[in-house]
Amino acid sequence: MKFASYWHETSIPFASGTAGPVSGDFEVAVIGAGFTGLSAARKLAQSGVKVALLEAEHVGYGASGRNGGHLNSGHFASFSAAKQHLGEDRARRLWRAYDDSIDMIERIIEDEKIACDFRRGGKIKLASKPSHVAKLQTMCAEIRREVDPSAEWLTREDLRKEVISDAFHGGILSPKSAMMHMGRYANGLAQAAHRYGAEIWERNPVTARERVGNGWRLNTPTGTLTARQVILATDAYTPSTFNYFRRRLMPIASFIIVTRPLTPQEIAAAVPGNRNFTNSLNIANYFRLTPDNRMLFGGRARFSAVSNQKTNVSSGQLLRQQMVGIFPQLANVEIDYCWGGLVGCTQDRYPRAGSAEGVIYSMGYSGHGAQLSTFMGNALADMAMGRKDANPLDGFAWPAVPLNAGNPWFLPIVGTYYRMKDLMP
């Protein structure tokens, strides 16, 4: 078993980064080479803007290369909850942004000829308890009525064609949802940005910043650059250089295991529907088949802001138990990959984007960034170019998380609370 991301291990790394020390004067500097930053850099370079992208590790290193591979339409919450929290107009704009981002990803893949196994497989949100059925049915009816008439309720009998398990009692099918190989998409997006003229420096974290004239000077271990505008696209991996954002984010570790390739018989006996699947627990699991027919199974196996080999080993063991609890027919299937990563969560789990501390930003995707981040990167590029009404998250207030100085010590307490709720009938 490899303690490494399947997405990283099964894609060809980006190899067109700028060699030599960081230097130069740019119109826009983008910090972070995940989907948000790569999308912004691509759009800016394509528009003729002189743009630099600085990445602390390598392209797609963070959440963009460590997620569950889902591109799910809509938001995690019911539409009524989003409407109550955000107001109807903002709730609709946010919902549309998730759908529009999947459409945008599909267009970019076609335009840039990125071979990343994109597929509109649909998602099923599964009722993990009989007591969850009525709530999900109400949610499905509301989604159909308000924002997505293609959503469909599946009974427990309907599910037998999709997922072979006694653990579920019905579910919401969202047919517009999609999936892809995350590593290949990230590297393809980086290659496209480079082809349009973006300068991409990997392994160059921003260690300091200072105002210079009408712009910024950014320091890295190999050199400095100046830029009139800065886009911050680091989410859960935001460095201490940007403490304003760290006080508003809670990085939470999420973990994933991936099995060996399943046989056609094993697939038919477990997930014949070949869709994205999530369950309805507070500490939820998510799963799908990879392009080479492995079972990918993930979840927040522990509530902490730490992902390392020790936590990955223990979390991988727990995830295997959870997978076998749902699919006892996979008990003897070997695990080939196990890894963890950080999810940038806001207190209310809604993402944020705008301008603060002299930078343009989008982050706080709260576990739903794979689908939204491409769209938001494009929006940040438009904002940097002075285009109005580009930000679908405009006007979302973002207070600091109480008692959070960038290291959310209280996460284990939160995790215990949600585990107790999941134990209730």
Side-chain angles (χ1 to χ4, degrees):
M1 178 169 61
K2 288 187 176 181
F3 290 99
S5 166
Y6 166 85
W7 307 124
H8 292 159
E9 292 289 302
T10 57
S11 57
I12 299 172
F14 174 67
S16 299
T18 303
V22 170
S23 64
D25 183 33
F26 296 87
E27 294 174 73
V28 182
V30 180
I31 304 173
F35 296 158
T36 303
L38 291 168
S39 174
R42 172 187 174 271
K43 176 67 177 290
L44 289 164
Q46 192 177 32
S47 302
V49 175
K50 188 179 182 184
V51 58
L53 193 157
L54 299 172
E55 165 56 42
E57 298 290 344
H58 60 75
V59 163
Y61 171 83
S64 296
R66 297 173 183 275
N67 59 69
H70 295 203
L71 301 171
N72 292 330
S73 60
H75 193 256
F76 79 94
S78 68
F79 184 72
S80 61
K83 187 163 58 174
Q84 183 176 4
H85 188 71
L86 303 172
E88 183 169 355
D89 179 62
R90 288 175 181 161
R92 289 188 185 280
R93 277 191 287 146
L94 178 60
W95 195 284
R96 283 197 302 270
Y98 281 96
D99 287 358
D100 290 347
S101 194
I102 301 174
D103 293 341
M104 181 179 289
I105 290 167
E106 190 171 23
R107 288 196 303 272
I108 289 172
I109 289 168
E110 182 177 350
D111 290 346
E112 306 297 351
K113 298 178 173 54
I114 302 172
C116 61
D117 300 288
F118 177 91
R119 185 170 68 85
R120 294 267 187 175
K123 178 200 85 168
I124 301 179
K125 185 176 180 68
L126 299 157
S128 296
K129 301 178 183 181
S131 60
H132 292 183
V133 169
K135 180 180 178 180
L136 289 186
Q137 285 178 320
T138 299
M139 183 186 293
C140 181
E142 181 183 64
I143 290 170
R144 285 177 55 84
R145 182 177 66 251
E146 297 281 359
V147 284
D148 184 4
S150 71
E152 180 183 350
W153 175 254
L154 302 181
T155 66
R156 190 170 191 178
E157 185 64 30
D158 295 330
L159 283 183
R160 296 184 189 280
K161 303 171 188 175
E162 304 285 352
V163 55
I164 311 302
S165 175
D166 294 330
F168 306 115
H169 306 271
I172 304 172
L173 170 62
S174 301
K176 292 191 292 185
S177 296
M179 57 183 70
M180 66 181 176
H181 190 297
M182 297 300 181
R184 294 170 190 166
Y185 177 68
N187 292 322
L189 204 55
Q191 195 62 47
H194 166 74
R195 188 165 56 248
Y196 292 124
E199 298 267 13
I200 300 176
W201 277 278
E202 297 179 289
R203 295 173 180 84
N204 269 281
V206 174
T207 55
R209 61 179 178 135
E210 61 178 319
R211 284 280 192 185
V212 287
N214 294 323
W216 290 95
R217 177 182 290 118
L218 302 179
N219 297 337
T220 78
T222 69
T224 65
L225 61 75
T226 57
R228 253 72 72 198
Q229 295 189 84
V230 173
I231 289 175
L232 187 64
T234 47
D235 205 20
Y237 295 81
T238 299
S240 57
T241 315
F242 298 93
N243 269 328
Y244 172 91
F245 301 95
R246 283 166 58 88
R247 292 197 303 271
R248 287 157 173 78
L249 282 171
M250 295 176 287
I252 299 177
S254 191
F255 302 89
I256 295 174
I257 55 174
V258 171
T259 70
R260 63 153 169 81
L262 302 183
T263 66
Q265 294 77 18
E266 288 168 333
I267 293 170
V271 283
N274 196 5
R275 302 184 189 272
N276 296 334
F277 298 94
T278 64
N279 67 22
S280 61
L281 297 175
N282 289 289
I283 303 179
N285 293 116
Y286 48 87
F287 51 96
R288 57 159 281 197
L289 293 178
T290 64
D292 56 349
N293 292 325
R294 303 167 184 268
M295 173 69 85
L296 179 154
F297 189 94
R300 288 169 184 81
R302 59 192 300 128
F303 258 67
S304 76
V306 177
S307 171
N308 54 40
Q309 185 154 326
K310 182 178 178 181
T311 61
N312 293 358
V313 169
S314 60
S315 298
Q317 291 169 343
L318 178 57
L319 286 174
R320 182 183 177 85
Q321 292 173 11
Q322 293 172 343
M323 182 185 76
V324 172
I326 294 171
F327 300 109
Q329 60 271 46
L330 300 182
N332 296 321
V333 173
E334 298 86 356
I335 306 300
D336 279 358
Y337 298 91
C338 176
W339 73 93
L342 299 178
V343 175
C345 291
T346 59
Q347 192 171 13
D348 59 9
R349 295 188 65 193
Y350 293 95
R352 298 296 196 278
S355 301
E357 298 284 289
V359 304
I360 303 168
Y361 69 91
S362 179
M363 56 184 72
Y365 297 124
S366 302
H368 297 268
Q371 58 269 46
L372 184 61
S373 49
T374 293
F375 183 86
M376 291 309 304
N378 205 74
L380 296 184
D382 281 338
M383 292 164 64
M385 291 186 286
R387 296 176 184 168
K388 305 291 185 182
D389 303 320
N391 181 11
L393 309 182
D394 187 39
F396 287 29
W398 195 12
V401 179
L403 305 177
N404 179 30
N407 182 23
W409 54 269
F410 45 79
L411 288 179
I413 300 170
V414 175
T416 299
Y417 168 74
Y418 283 121
R419 286 190 183 91
M420 294 299 294
K421 289 190 71 172
D422 284 337
L423 290 174
M424 297 172 65

